[in-house]
Amino acid sequence: MDKSIIFPLVQNAALMLALVFLYDVIPKKHQRQYYLLWRIVIGLLIGGVGITIMSTSWVYKPGFVFDTRSVILCVSGLFFGGVPTFVAVVMTGLYRISIGGTAMWLGVATIVSSGVIGILWRQYSKSKLANISDLEIFLFAYTVHIVMLLWFFFFLPIADALSILSNITLPVLTIYPIATWLLSRLLSRRYELERDEQIRLQDDFLFRSQFNIGNIGIAITGVDHKWIKVNPRLCQMFKYSEDELLQMTWSTITHPDDLKADLLKFELMLNGQIDSYEMGKRFISKDGSCVYTHMTVSCKRADHQVLLVIAGYLDITAQTLADQEVLASREQLELVLSSSELGVWDWDIRNDRVERNTRSADILGCDIDMLNANSRQWMDAIVAEDRPKVLHSIEAHIRGETAQHRMEYRLNTLNRNVRWVLDTGKVVSRDSNNHALRMCGTYSDITDAKLLEESLKLSALVYDNSSEAMSVLDEKGLIITVNAAFSEMTGYGEAEVWGQHIRLLYCDLNGLDFYKQMNNEIRDSGQWQGEMLQRRRNGEEYVIWLTINTINDKEGKPYRRVALFSDITDKKQNEHLIWKQANYDTLTGLPNRRMLLEYLSSEIKNSDRNSTHFALLFLDLDFFKEVNDTLGHAMGDLLLIETASRLKSCVRDTDVVARLGGDEFTVVLSAMNDHYSIERIAENILHRIAEPYVLGEETAFISVSIGITLYPDDSTSIEGLLKHADQAMYAAKEQGRNRFNYFTPSMQEYAKYRMRLIQDLRQAVTNKEFELHYQPIVALATGEVTKAEALIRWHHCERGAVPPSEFIPVAEDTGLIVEIGNWVFEQAARQSAAWRHGLGVDIQISVNKSPIQFRDEGTLLNDWLKLLQELNITGAGVCVEITEGLLLDASMGVTEKLLAYRDAGVQVSLDDFGTGYSSLAYLKKFDIDYLKIDQSFTRNVDTDKNDQILCEAIIVMAHKLGMKVIAEGVETEAQRQVLLAAGCDYGQGYLFSRPIPASEFTQQYLQCRSLISDL
C-alpha cells in the first residue's frame, strides 16, 4: 500500500471531526426555532467540509483523486437526513465536475451513492440512532464503501479498475469504516444527549405543571423534616402560606396519633431499608381542623445517603368524612336492628340474590359471609314440614294476593337446634308490568315466646291432669281455684271449696301446735314442706306430703299461695315394709345383720355412758347341713323358724336375737355384770336347741356351738366383737360341738397365725414351693408294689416343713385347694407316665380329691381328662381318692363327675371308710373301685376283737360289691397277717414305707422290677 495515501485520509478525517464540534457550538434553541433554514445551513456546512476534504485529496494519477467525501456524505444522510445531505451532495457533486478528469463521473457516482445509502439507512434506523450499535455502524460503512469501489468496474476498463483497486482497497476499507464509526459514534452521542435533554425537559414540564397547578400537594423536605419547597396545593390543604410552611417541619403539624408510624417508616427509608412508602396520614391545619391525606414518600440518594425527600399528598378529607358518616349511619342502623333483635333480609328478585344482616346469621348459627354467599341456605334450613307453607305465603304476596308475607315456622340451625322464627316481608319495588323487583323483610326469633306459650299450655294441662292435688290461695288464705286431683283426693268439689278458707281442711289429728308452727314458718319464709295427717270429706284418714309456696307481688308482699299435696299413705306403708325387709330376716322375723350392727352401735354408746358390760353370743347350728340335705330345704326352713322362737324364749325382752344368715345367729345380752348370768342363758340355749325338732312326719336332732365375747373386756369395736365371738364359736366346735366357749387372747393369736399362714400359702402356690412324696401301697398276698399314694409336702423357707394337717384345712377354707389339687394331679399323672415310659413299670398313683375341688371343679375335670389322654394314662396310671361325705352332697353333681372318671378309665377309691355317714345304698349307687379302711380300725386290729370283726365285715362287703380293699395305717407285721387272713387286698403304712420322694421311690421299688422285666 502506498504510504502517501495515509496522510491525506487522516487529514480528511480531522476535517470531519471539526464539523461535529462546529455542530455542538451552535445553540440548540436556534436549531429548533429556524428548523428549515437550519437544515439548509447544515447542508451548506457539510458541503463546505466536503469540498475542503476534496481539495486535500490524495491524487492517484491525473484525473484519479481519493478523499473521505463518501464518509461525510453517508454519515450526513444517516444522522442529518435528506435536506442537509441533498444540499451537501449537490455542492460536492458540482465541485467534482468542476475539477474534471478521467474519473469525474466515478467521483460524482460515489458522492450520490454515499448520500443516498445514508438517507435510506436512516429510514430504518432513525428511532435508534442514539443507541446504534458498533456492529451496525461498521456494516453501514462497509456497505457504502464497497458500493463506491464497485463503481470502478462500471466507469473504468477492467484492467484499469483492477490496477487502481489493488492499491486503494486496503486503505479505503481500513480507514474509511473507522472514520465512519468514529464520526457516527460522536454524532450518536450527540443524539443521546439531545434525547436525554428532551426527556428531562418533558419531565421538568410535567413536574412543574403538576407542582404548580395539580390537585396533589407536593413537598420537598430534608432529612431534618424541614420543608424545602412546597406547592400551592399543599399550602391550600394545610391553610398555611408557603413562607409559614418553610419555617416549620412536617412533624410539627402531623396528627399525634399518626406521627409515630410515619417516623418509623421515615427512619427505615433513611437507613436504606426501603426507598419509598405510602400511608394514610392526618395533619392539623392552621385553623385546627384535621386534614386526611394519602401520602406517598420517596427519596433522592447519593453515595447511599438520602439528600432530598419528596412527598405527594392526596387530600381525602371529604371522602373520609363521608365514609365515616356512612359508616356511622350504618352502625347506627345496625345498632337499632341489633337492639331490636331483628334479622333483616333484602331480596333482589330479578337476580335472585338475598342480603341478610348479622342478626340473621346469628339466628341460623352461621357466618354472615357464608349466609350471603348462598341465598338458598336459609330456605334449606326451614323444617321440611313448614317449607311449603312459607313458599306459598311468599308467592301469594308477590302475586298481590296478600298485603304482606307473614309466617311462623321452625328453623334447623347449624348448631343442631330448632328455633321458631316469625318471618315478615313486603314487596317494595315493582316494574311497569307490576312484576315484583325487590322484597324486604325481617326475622324475629320467637323461640322463647313459643316455649313460654307451650309451657303455659303444658302448665294448664299439668294443673288439670296432675295426680297431685293443687290449690291456689289468696293472701288471706281463701281458696281461689283447685284442680281435679284436689277434688278426687279430698272429696270436696271445686264449688264447695271456692272462697272458703283453707282451715276447712284442717284435721284435729295434727293438733293446734302443728298448724301454729306451720303458719309461722310460712309467714317467715314464705314456704313449708312436710307430712300431714288428713281426713277426706267422708272421714277417711290418710297421710299427705304437703308443699306450700308463696308468690309475692312487685312490692314483695304475699300475693298468692300455692299448695301441692299428694297421698303418701301407700308410700308410708311401703317404706315401713321396705325398712322391715332391710332390717329383719324374712324367714324368722329376727333382726338381720344390718339391724344388729345398728343395735350394737347403740348398745356400745349406752354401755360407755352407764359404765356397764354386755355380752355378744355367736351361735352356729351343728349338723344343720345334714338335716337340710336329707330332709330338704323346706324342713330346714321350719327348723330355723323354730330355732328363732326357742332362742327368743331363752333371753330377756331387753336382749336382742338376730339371724346373720344360714344357720348363724347372734344374741346380745345387755347390762350383764357377771359371768353366771351369761352362762345360765347359754346353758338354757344349749338345752332348748338340743330338744327334738318335729318337722312334719320327721324328727330331727341338732345342737348348737356358742362363742361368747364381752364388751369392753375383749374388744371396743363392733368388728372386733363379731370377730372374737366367731373365733370363740369355732373353738367350741373344735372342742366337740354342743357347748359354749369364751373368747381368749390365744384365739386371737391363732387367728393371726392362721392369717399369716394363708398369706404364706398363697405365696407358696405362686412360687410352686410344694413337692410330692409317694407312699407305696403293697399287695398283701405277694408283697408287690403296684400302687402308691401321692402326698403333698410343703417346705417353707422360714417355717420349715409345714404338715399337711396344718395347711390343707386352710387351703380348703380359702379355696386354694383347687389350684393346689390341680397341681398335685398334674404332677402325679406326669410321674406315672414317666415311670411307665422310662422304666416300663405301671404304677397307679392315688390322688386325694377334696370335696371343695368337686364343688369348684368347673372346667378342671375336662382339663384333667384331656391331660390323661395326652399322657396315654388310664386307670392303671391314676386313681382318684374321695371321702364318704362327698357321696352325700347331691348338689355337687358327684354322680356325673364319677361317671366321667369311669368313662375315661380312671379308677375311684373311697378314703377313710367307716368314719362317715355312707350307707350300702351309696356304695351300690356309685361306681367305686377301692375301699380304704381308716387307720382308726387297723391300728388295733391285732389286739381288739371288735376292730378285727369290723374290718372282716368291710372286706367281705367290699368283695361282694366288686370292690378291692386297701387298709391304711399298717405299722406291724401282726396287723398285716390279720388283714391278710381276713382277705384284705392291699396294705399301706409305715410297716412298708413312709412317704418318700419320687427319686427314692424309683430306686427302692421300681428299678428292680424294671431289671426283672428286661430279663
Side-chain angles (χ1 to χ4, degrees), residues 961-976:
L961 293 174
M963 305 177 192
K964 293 188 177 182
V965 180
I966 301 172
E968 293 183 302
V970 180
E971 298 182 354
T972 65
E973 182 62 27
Q975 294 171 351
R976 175 178 178 276

Side-chain angles (χ1 to χ4, degrees), residues 226-232 234-236 239-249 286:
K226 286 186 177 182
W227 306 98
I228 297 174
K229 188 172 183 60
V230 296
N231 72 338
L234 189 67
C235 298
Q236 180 184 356
K239 299 180 177 57
Y240 286 99
S241 66
E242 182 177 357
D243 293 337
E244 289 175 329
L245 285 178
L246 296 180
Q247 298 300 319
M248 304 166 65
T249 62
K286 187 175 182 180

Side-chain angles (χ1 to χ4, degrees), residues 406-420:
R406 183 181 180 88
M407 180 64 60
E408 293 180 359
Y409 54 82
R410 292 163 296 170
L411 197 69
N412 289 316
T413 64
L414 297 190
N415 51 16
R416 301 183 183 277
N417 292 328
V418 177
R419 304 198 69 80
W420 276 94

Side-chain angles (χ1 to χ4, degrees), residues 21 61 80-81 84 131 137 165 190 195 207 220 238 301 336 456 466 479 570 658 819 857 923 1002:
F21 292 116
K61 65 180 182 176
F80 296 106
N131 298 316
I137 293 174
L165 290 176
R190 179 62 185 173
R195 182 199 61 189
F207 174 75
I220 300 175
F238 297 157
R301 299 182 189 275
V336 171
L456 292 174
S466 175
I479 299 174
D570 293 339
E819 191 171 351
E857 190 169 37
L923 291 178
T1002 302

